[in-house]
């Protein structure tokens, strides 16, 4: 299974747990989304060059 799918699945699972427990994300939503975008882009670049 690709690391990208594993990461996506882990993120969805943690998101569901947070929603069920009514936990608020410590980061503002815009910053969190930019960070996630950076992780995805970095992962794609790493797979192309490594």
């Amino acid at each position: 299974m690709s690391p990208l799918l594993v990461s996506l699945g882990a993120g969805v699972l943690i998101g569901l747990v947070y929603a069920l427990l009514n936990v608020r994300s410590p980061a503002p939503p815009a910053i969190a989304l930019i960070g996630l975008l950076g992780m995805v882009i970095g992962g794609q670049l790493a797979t192309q060059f490594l």
Side-chain angles (χ1 to χ4, degrees), residues 4-36:
L4 187 59
L5 290 176
V6 172
S7 297
L8 178 63
V12 169
L13 180 64
I14 295 301
L16 289 172
V17 170
Y18 271 33
L20 290 173
L21 297 175
N22 292 323
V23 175
R24 296 298 242 164
S25 174
I31 293 173
L33 289 176
I34 292 170
L36 289 173

Side-chain angles (χ1 to χ4, degrees), residues 1-13 35-48:
M1 186 177 290
S2 86
L4 187 59
L5 290 176
V6 172
S7 297
L8 178 63
V12 169
L13 180 64
L36 289 173
L37 179 62
M39 290 169 57
V40 170
I41 291 172
Q44 291 296 318
L45 290 175
T47 58
Q48 289 180 359

